[in-house]
Amino acid sequence: MTLPLTANDLWPLVTKLPHEEQLRLAKMALAAASSPTSDADAYAAHPVAPDEFGAAPDGLGWDA
């Protein structure tokens, strides 16, 4: 079984990148780290608002 990579494993490669590519990689890493990894994480990060689904007592009332 192989061990997962760590940031220390990648560091020598990152230092070989030009400055612009290091910045691009940093932005990509931050975007990946800030996005939820599961539905549960997504709902925890952005819970449902109280009025998100409306207050109509009969949701199918318009289907007369």
Side-chain angles (χ1 to χ4, degrees), residues 4-37:
L5 288 174
T6 66
N8 287 336
D9 297 330
L10 299 175
W11 187 246
L13 296 173
V14 172
T15 59
K16 292 180 183 180
L17 292 172
H19 181 71
E20 293 79 21
E21 286 298 304
Q22 288 180 1
L23 290 175
R24 190 168 82 98
L25 178 62
K27 289 177 185 176
M28 290 170 56
L30 285 173
S34 66
S35 64
T37 57

Side-chain angles (χ1 to χ4, degrees), residues 1-3 6-7 16 21-22 25-26 28-30 32 34-35 38-39 43 46 51-52 57 63-64:
M1 182 173 150
T2 59
L3 297 174
T6 66
K16 292 180 183 180
E21 286 298 304
Q22 288 180 1
L25 178 62
M28 290 170 56
L30 285 173
S34 66
S35 64
S38 70
D39 289 341
Y43 281 111
H46 304 286
D51 61 342
E52 186 168 350
D63 277 346

